[in-house]
PDB file of all heavy atoms in Angstrom:
ATOM      1  N   GLU A 142      21.107  13.746   4.224  1.00 83.00           N
ATOM      2  CA  GLU A 142      22.009  14.202   5.285  1.00 83.00           C
ATOM      3  C   GLU A 142      22.819  15.425   4.862  1.00 83.00           C
ATOM      4  O   GLU A 142      22.974  16.375   5.633  1.00 83.00           O
ATOM      5  CB  GLU A 142      22.953  13.068   5.672  1.00 83.00           C
ATOM      6  CG  GLU A 142      23.858  13.413   6.837  1.00 83.00           C
ATOM      7  CD  GLU A 142      24.662  12.225   7.313  1.00 83.00           C
ATOM      8  OE1 GLU A 142      24.464  11.116   6.777  1.00 83.00           O
ATOM      9  OE2 GLU A 142      25.476  12.411   8.226  1.00 83.00           O
ATOM     10  N   GLN A 143      23.315  15.435   3.630  1.00 81.00           N
ATOM     11  CA  GLN A 143      24.241  16.489   3.207  1.00 81.00           C
ATOM     12  C   GLN A 143      23.546  17.711   2.595  1.00 81.00           C
ATOM     13  O   GLN A 143      24.109  18.801   2.591  1.00 81.00           O
ATOM     14  CB  GLN A 143      25.240  15.921   2.186  1.00 81.00           C
ATOM     15  CG  GLN A 143      26.098  14.790   2.718  1.00 81.00           C
ATOM     16  CD  GLN A 143      27.009  15.248   3.844  1.00 81.00           C
ATOM     17  OE1 GLN A 143      27.423  16.399   3.887  1.00 81.00           O
ATOM     18  NE2 GLN A 143      27.320  14.335   4.754  1.00 81.00           N
ATOM     19  N   ARG A 144      22.338  17.545   2.086  1.00 73.00           N
ATOM     20  CA  ARG A 144      21.601  18.641   1.448  1.00 73.00           C
ATOM     21  C   ARG A 144      22.430  19.325   0.363  1.00 73.00           C
ATOM     22  O   ARG A 144      22.668  20.532   0.386  1.00 73.00           O
ATOM     23  CB  ARG A 144      21.146  19.676   2.492  1.00 73.00           C
ATOM     24  CG  ARG A 144      20.234  19.119   3.572  1.00 73.00           C
ATOM     25  CD  ARG A 144      18.884  18.701   2.972  1.00 73.00           C
ATOM     26  NE  ARG A 144      17.996  18.137   3.966  1.00 73.00           N
ATOM     27  CZ  ARG A 144      17.095  18.851   4.647  1.00 73.00           C
ATOM     28  NH1 ARG A 144      16.977  20.137   4.443  1.00 73.00           N
ATOM     29  NH2 ARG A 144      16.308  18.254   5.513  1.00 73.00           N
ATOM     30  N   PHE A 145      22.882  18.548  -0.598  1.00 73.00           N
ATOM     31  CA  PHE A 145      23.636  19.098  -1.714  1.00 73.00           C
ATOM     32  C   PHE A 145      22.727  19.967  -2.590  1.00 73.00           C
ATOM     33  O   PHE A 145      21.503  19.966  -2.446  1.00 73.00           O
ATOM     34  CB  PHE A 145      24.239  17.970  -2.563  1.00 73.00           C
ATOM     35  CG  PHE A 145      25.277  17.151  -1.856  1.00 73.00           C
ATOM     36  CD1 PHE A 145      25.124  15.784  -1.693  1.00 73.00           C
ATOM     37  CD2 PHE A 145      26.419  17.757  -1.334  1.00 73.00           C
ATOM     38  CE1 PHE A 145      26.090  15.023  -1.043  1.00 73.00           C
ATOM     39  CE2 PHE A 145      27.386  17.017  -0.684  1.00 73.00           C
ATOM     40  CZ  PHE A 145      27.228  15.646  -0.536  1.00 73.00           C
ATOM     41  N   LEU A 146      23.334  20.688  -3.530  1.00 74.00           N
ATOM     42  CA  LEU A 146      22.582  21.528  -4.451  1.00 74.00           C
ATOM     43  C   LEU A 146      21.555  20.691  -5.220  1.00 74.00           C
ATOM     44  O   LEU A 146      21.870  19.612  -5.714  1.00 74.00           O
ATOM     45  CB  LEU A 146      23.549  22.195  -5.444  1.00 74.00           C
ATOM     46  CG  LEU A 146      22.919  23.105  -6.506  1.00 74.00           C
ATOM     47  CD1 LEU A 146      22.305  24.329  -5.854  1.00 74.00           C
ATOM     48  CD2 LEU A 146      23.972  23.515  -7.540  1.00 74.00           C
ATOM     49  N   LEU A 147      20.316  21.194  -5.288  1.00 74.00           N
ATOM     50  CA  LEU A 147      19.213  20.529  -5.997  1.00 74.00           C
ATOM     51  C   LEU A 147      18.936  19.131  -5.460  1.00 74.00           C
ATOM     52  O   LEU A 147      18.523  18.227  -6.190  1.00 74.00           O
ATOM     53  CB  LEU A 147      19.508  20.463  -7.504  1.00 74.00           C
ATOM     54  CG  LEU A 147      19.642  21.812  -8.224  1.00 74.00           C
ATOM     55  CD1 LEU A 147      20.016  21.605  -9.685  1.00 74.00           C
ATOM     56  CD2 LEU A 147      18.359  22.618  -8.125  1.00 74.00           C
ATOM     57  N   HIS A 148      19.131  18.951  -4.162  1.00 75.00           N
ATOM     58  CA  HIS A 148      18.949  17.614  -3.602  1.00 75.00           C
ATOM     59  C   HIS A 148      17.492  17.164  -3.629  1.00 75.00           C
ATOM     60  O   HIS A 148      17.213  15.978  -3.691  1.00 75.00           O
ATOM     61  CB  HIS A 148      19.492  17.545  -2.171  1.00 75.00           C
ATOM     62  CG  HIS A 148      18.753  18.404  -1.201  1.00 75.00           C
ATOM     63  ND1 HIS A 148      18.891  19.767  -1.162  1.00 75.00           N
ATOM     64  CD2 HIS A 148      17.858  18.088  -0.231  1.00 75.00           C
ATOM     65  CE1 HIS A 148      18.124  20.260  -0.210  1.00 75.00           C
ATOM     66  NE2 HIS A 148      17.491  19.268   0.368  1.00 75.00           N
ATOM     67  N   ASP A 149      16.540  18.119  -3.634  1.00 75.00           N
ATOM     68  CA  ASP A 149      15.136  17.732  -3.700  1.00 75.00           C
ATOM     69  C   ASP A 149      14.822  17.061  -5.039  1.00 75.00           C
ATOM     70  O   ASP A 149      14.180  16.010  -5.099  1.00 75.00           O
ATOM     71  CB  ASP A 149      14.220  18.927  -3.461  1.00 75.00           C
ATOM     72  CG  ASP A 149      14.523  20.091  -4.395  1.00 75.00           C
ATOM     73  OD1 ASP A 149      15.604  20.095  -5.015  1.00 75.00           O
ATOM     74  OD2 ASP A 149      13.669  20.996  -4.494  1.00 75.00           O
ATOM     75  N   ALA A 150      15.327  17.658  -6.122  1.00 77.00           N
ATOM     76  CA  ALA A 150      15.109  17.075  -7.453  1.00 77.00           C
ATOM     77  C   ALA A 150      15.807  15.728  -7.583  1.00 77.00           C
ATOM     78  O   ALA A 150      15.263  14.785  -8.179  1.00 77.00           O
ATOM     79  CB  ALA A 150      15.613  18.034  -8.530  1.00 77.00           C
ATOM     80  N   LEU A 151      17.010  15.625  -7.018  1.00 85.00           N
ATOM     81  CA  LEU A 151      17.748  14.368  -7.119  1.00 85.00           C
ATOM     82  C   LEU A 151      17.076  13.270  -6.303  1.00 85.00           C
ATOM     83  O   LEU A 151      16.962  12.118  -6.752  1.00 85.00           O
ATOM     84  CB  LEU A 151      19.198  14.554  -6.659  1.00 85.00           C
ATOM     85  CG  LEU A 151      20.108  13.322  -6.804  1.00 85.00           C
ATOM     86  CD1 LEU A 151      20.080  12.782  -8.227  1.00 85.00           C
ATOM     87  CD2 LEU A 151      21.542  13.664  -6.401  1.00 85.00           C
ATOM     88  N   LEU A 152      16.581  13.603  -5.102  1.00 86.00           N
ATOM     89  CA  LEU A 152      15.881  12.608  -4.286  1.00 86.00           C
ATOM     90  C   LEU A 152      14.638  12.096  -5.009  1.00 86.00           C
ATOM     91  O   LEU A 152      14.370  10.894  -5.043  1.00 86.00           O
ATOM     92  CB  LEU A 152      15.486  13.212  -2.936  1.00 86.00           C
ATOM     93  CG  LEU A 152      16.538  13.216  -1.835  1.00 86.00           C
ATOM     94  CD1 LEU A 152      16.063  14.043  -0.645  1.00 86.00           C
ATOM     95  CD2 LEU A 152      16.871  11.800  -1.390  1.00 86.00           C
ATOM     96  N   SER A 153      13.884  13.020  -5.589  1.00 83.00           N
ATOM     97  CA  SER A 153      12.703  12.614  -6.335  1.00 83.00           C
ATOM     98  C   SER A 153      13.084  11.753  -7.528  1.00 83.00           C
ATOM     99  O   SER A 153      12.419  10.755  -7.835  1.00 83.00           O
ATOM    100  CB  SER A 153      11.936  13.856  -6.799  1.00 83.00           C
ATOM    101  OG  SER A 153      10.775  13.490  -7.516  1.00 83.00           O
ATOM    102  N   GLY A 154      14.184  12.123  -8.206  1.00 86.00           N
ATOM    103  CA  GLY A 154      14.648  11.327  -9.338  1.00 86.00           C
ATOM    104  C   GLY A 154      15.077   9.935  -8.930  1.00 86.00           C
ATOM    105  O   GLY A 154      14.773   8.951  -9.617  1.00 86.00           O
ATOM    106  N   LEU A 155      15.769   9.829  -7.799  1.00 89.00           N
ATOM    107  CA  LEU A 155      16.191   8.517  -7.293  1.00 89.00           C
ATOM    108  C   LEU A 155      14.978   7.662  -6.926  1.00 89.00           C
ATOM    109  O   LEU A 155      14.953   6.452  -7.177  1.00 89.00           O
ATOM    110  CB  LEU A 155      17.102   8.692  -6.071  1.00 89.00           C
ATOM    111  CG  LEU A 155      18.506   9.234  -6.342  1.00 89.00           C
ATOM    112  CD1 LEU A 155      19.193   9.621  -5.033  1.00 89.00           C
ATOM    113  CD2 LEU A 155      19.351   8.196  -7.086  1.00 89.00           C
ATOM    114  N   LEU A 156      13.972   8.298  -6.330  1.00 88.00           N
ATOM    115  CA  LEU A 156      12.753   7.564  -5.976  1.00 88.00           C
ATOM    116  C   LEU A 156      12.044   7.070  -7.231  1.00 88.00           C
ATOM    117  O   LEU A 156      11.584   5.923  -7.284  1.00 88.00           O
ATOM    118  CB  LEU A 156      11.830   8.459  -5.150  1.00 88.00           C
ATOM    119  CG  LEU A 156      10.546   7.820  -4.627  1.00 88.00           C
ATOM    120  CD1 LEU A 156      10.834   6.613  -3.747  1.00 88.00           C
ATOM    121  CD2 LEU A 156       9.719   8.849  -3.845  1.00 88.00           C
ATOM    122  N   ASN A 157      11.953   7.923  -8.242  1.00 84.00           N
ATOM    123  CA  ASN A 157      11.357   7.494  -9.514  1.00 84.00           C
ATOM    124  C   ASN A 157      12.133   6.330 -10.117  1.00 84.00           C
ATOM    125  O   ASN A 157      11.554   5.370 -10.630  1.00 84.00           O
ATOM    126  CB  ASN A 157      11.334   8.671 -10.492  1.00 84.00           C
ATOM    127  CG  ASN A 157      10.101   9.533 -10.350  1.00 84.00           C
ATOM    128  OD1 ASN A 157       9.031   9.189 -10.825  1.00 84.00           O
ATOM    129  ND2 ASN A 157      10.250  10.649  -9.663  1.00 84.00           N
ATOM    130  N   MET A 158      13.464   6.405 -10.046  1.00 87.00           N
ATOM    131  CA  MET A 158      14.295   5.335 -10.583  1.00 87.00           C
ATOM    132  C   MET A 158      14.019   4.018  -9.863  1.00 87.00           C
ATOM    133  O   MET A 158      13.879   2.958 -10.492  1.00 87.00           O
ATOM    134  CB  MET A 158      15.781   5.707 -10.430  1.00 87.00           C
ATOM    135  CG  MET A 158      16.741   4.690 -11.053  1.00 87.00           C
ATOM    136  SD  MET A 158      18.473   5.089 -10.707  1.00 87.00           S
ATOM    137  CE  MET A 158      18.589   6.713 -11.451  1.00 87.00           C
ATOM    138  N   LEU A 159      13.918   4.089  -8.546  1.00 87.00           N
ATOM    139  CA  LEU A 159      13.653   2.890  -7.759  1.00 87.00           C
ATOM    140  C   LEU A 159      12.308   2.285  -8.132  1.00 87.00           C
ATOM    141  O   LEU A 159      12.171   1.068  -8.290  1.00 87.00           O
ATOM    142  CB  LEU A 159      13.680   3.249  -6.272  1.00 87.00           C
ATOM    143  CG  LEU A 159      13.738   2.101  -5.273  1.00 87.00           C
ATOM    144  CD1 LEU A 159      15.011   1.279  -5.447  1.00 87.00           C
ATOM    145  CD2 LEU A 159      13.673   2.649  -3.843  1.00 87.00           C
ATOM    146  N   MET A 160      11.300   3.132  -8.320  1.00 82.00           N
ATOM    147  CA  MET A 160       9.971   2.639  -8.661  1.00 82.00           C
ATOM    148  C   MET A 160       9.931   2.045 -10.065  1.00 82.00           C
ATOM    149  O   MET A 160       9.149   1.137 -10.338  1.00 82.00           O
ATOM    150  CB  MET A 160       8.953   3.764  -8.501  1.00 82.00           C
ATOM    151  CG  MET A 160       8.757   4.158  -7.040  1.00 82.00           C
ATOM    152  SD  MET A 160       7.568   5.481  -6.840  1.00 82.00           S
ATOM    153  CE  MET A 160       6.085   4.674  -7.440  1.00 82.00           C
ATOM    154  N   ILE A 161      10.756   2.548 -10.959  1.00 82.00           N
ATOM    155  CA  ILE A 161      10.841   1.941 -12.293  1.00 82.00           C
ATOM    156  C   ILE A 161      11.356   0.515 -12.186  1.00 82.00           C
ATOM    157  O   ILE A 161      10.831  -0.414 -12.812  1.00 82.00           O
ATOM    158  CB  ILE A 161      11.734   2.788 -13.220  1.00 82.00           C
ATOM    159  CG1 ILE A 161      11.031   4.100 -13.579  1.00 82.00           C
ATOM    160  CG2 ILE A 161      12.067   2.012 -14.496  1.00 82.00           C
ATOM    161  CD1 ILE A 161      11.912   5.095 -14.301  1.00 82.00           C
ATOM    162  N   TYR A 162      12.390   0.311 -11.363  1.00 83.00           N
ATOM    163  CA  TYR A 162      12.892  -1.044 -11.139  1.00 83.00           C
ATOM    164  C   TYR A 162      11.796  -1.935 -10.555  1.00 83.00           C
ATOM    165  O   TYR A 162      11.616  -3.081 -10.968  1.00 83.00           O
ATOM    166  CB  TYR A 162      14.095  -1.021 -10.195  1.00 83.00           C
ATOM    167  CG  TYR A 162      15.395  -0.595 -10.841  1.00 83.00           C
ATOM    168  CD1 TYR A 162      16.086   0.517 -10.388  1.00 83.00           C
ATOM    169  CD2 TYR A 162      15.936  -1.311 -11.903  1.00 83.00           C
ATOM    170  CE1 TYR A 162      17.289   0.917 -10.972  1.00 83.00           C
ATOM    171  CE2 TYR A 162      17.130  -0.926 -12.500  1.00 83.00           C
ATOM    172  CZ  TYR A 162      17.801   0.192 -12.023  1.00 83.00           C
ATOM    173  OH  TYR A 162      18.975   0.573 -12.611  1.00 83.00           O
ATOM    174  N   PHE A 163      11.038  -1.399  -9.577  1.00 81.00           N
ATOM    175  CA  PHE A 163       9.962  -2.175  -8.963  1.00 81.00           C
ATOM    176  C   PHE A 163       8.900  -2.528  -9.993  1.00 81.00           C
ATOM    177  O   PHE A 163       8.429  -3.668 -10.056  1.00 81.00           O
ATOM    178  CB  PHE A 163       9.318  -1.384  -7.820  1.00 81.00           C
ATOM    179  CG  PHE A 163      10.199  -1.180  -6.621  1.00 81.00           C
ATOM    180  CD1 PHE A 163       9.868  -0.238  -5.659  1.00 81.00           C
ATOM    181  CD2 PHE A 163      11.351  -1.927  -6.442  1.00 81.00           C
ATOM    182  CE1 PHE A 163      10.667  -0.048  -4.545  1.00 81.00           C
ATOM    183  CE2 PHE A 163      12.166  -1.743  -5.341  1.00 81.00           C
ATOM    184  CZ  PHE A 163      11.816  -0.797  -4.385  1.00 81.00           C
ATOM    185  N   SER A 164       8.486  -1.541 -10.796  1.00 75.00           N
ATOM    186  CA  SER A 164       7.407  -1.767 -11.756  1.00 75.00           C
ATOM    187  C   SER A 164       7.797  -2.816 -12.797  1.00 75.00           C
ATOM    188  O   SER A 164       6.966  -3.612 -13.232  1.00 75.00           O
ATOM    189  CB  SER A 164       7.028  -0.454 -12.449  1.00 75.00           C
ATOM    190  OG  SER A 164       8.090   0.036 -13.244  1.00 75.00           O
ATOM    191  N   ARG A 165       9.063  -2.847 -13.190  1.00 73.00           N
ATOM    192  CA  ARG A 165       9.517  -3.864 -14.132  1.00 73.00           C
ATOM    193  C   ARG A 165       9.357  -5.254 -13.551  1.00 73.00           C
ATOM    194  O   ARG A 165       8.912  -6.183 -14.242  1.00 73.00           O
ATOM    195  CB  ARG A 165      10.981  -3.623 -14.484  1.00 73.00           C
ATOM    196  CG  ARG A 165      11.231  -2.453 -15.407  1.00 73.00           C
ATOM    197  CD  ARG A 165      12.723  -2.238 -15.603  1.00 73.00           C
ATOM    198  NE  ARG A 165      13.005  -1.151 -16.529  1.00 73.00           N
ATOM    199  CZ  ARG A 165      14.232  -0.701 -16.769  1.00 73.00           C
ATOM    200  NH1 ARG A 165      15.273  -1.247 -16.162  1.00 73.00           N
ATOM    201  NH2 ARG A 165      14.412   0.282 -17.614  1.00 73.00           N
TER     202      ARG A 165
END
Side-chain angles (χ1 to χ4, degrees):
E142 184 173 356
Q143 299 296 330
R144 300 293 179 93
F145 294 121
L146 179 66
L147 298 177
H148 65 285
D149 54 345
L151 184 54
L152 276 171
S153 181
L155 288 169
L156 183 59
N157 273 281
M158 184 186 300
L159 193 62
M160 291 180 64
I161 289 171
Y162 282 120
F163 292 165
S164 65
R165 286 176 178 174

